[in-house]
Amino acid sequence: MFKLKPQSESCEIRINKNNNMQDIMKRANELIKITNTFKEDIDISIGSYTIDGKSIMGLFSLNLSNPMVITIHSDDKESIKLFLDNMEEFNNGLN
């Protein structure tokens, strides 16, 4: 018997709009706190690099000055909607 892969939903986010290291660290920690509130698997990708979206060490291994794609893997439509709402709010924090 095989198991179907869960659905996934992605969006583009940015950690920073400038290169202030203190702001980058604050926003990275904020992002990881958000992703860890979800039980679903979450990935963060920049180009060909993909890391566990709940890992602060993994996040700091990426070039955080580039936009990134964050993906939640879930069949639960409510979790996906909440995730996308959280990511929109996170992105709006740059304004």
Side-chain angles (χ1 to χ4, degrees):
M1 182 184 290
F2 67 94
K3 189 174 181 182
L4 293 175
K5 292 174 82 175
Q7 295 179 335
S8 62
E9 190 70 40
S10 300
C11 62
E12 186 174 287
I13 61 169
R14 282 182 114 20
I15 290 285
N16 70 325
K17 64 180 178 181
N18 60 40
N19 287 325
N20 180 328
M21 188 53 122
Q22 187 174 4
D23 289 344
I24 291 171
M25 291 179 69
K26 180 181 173 188
R27 297 268 302 156
N29 282 320
E30 181 183 335
L31 178 61
I32 295 301
K33 282 181 187 176
I34 293 168
T35 60
N36 276 297
T37 64
F38 291 88
K39 67 179 181 349
E40 294 83 5
D41 289 334
I42 296 174
D43 295 328
I44 297 175
S45 303
I46 296 179
S48 62
Y49 298 101
T50 300
I51 57 106
D52 177 357
K54 297 179 182 184
S55 167
I56 192 73
M57 295 298 286
L59 186 60
F60 281 121
S61 72
L62 299 174
N63 180 351
L64 301 179
S65 63
N66 292 330
M68 55 189 73
V69 175
I70 186 163
T71 304
I72 185 170
H73 303 280
S74 177
D75 290 324
D76 183 353
K77 292 182 190 305
E78 288 183 30
S79 288
I80 290 172
K81 182 182 178 338
L82 180 61
F83 172 77
L84 293 174
D85 290 346
N86 274 269
M87 291 302 98
E88 182 177 358
E89 187 176 316
F90 179 81
N91 264 346
N92 289 339
L94 282 178
N95 299 332

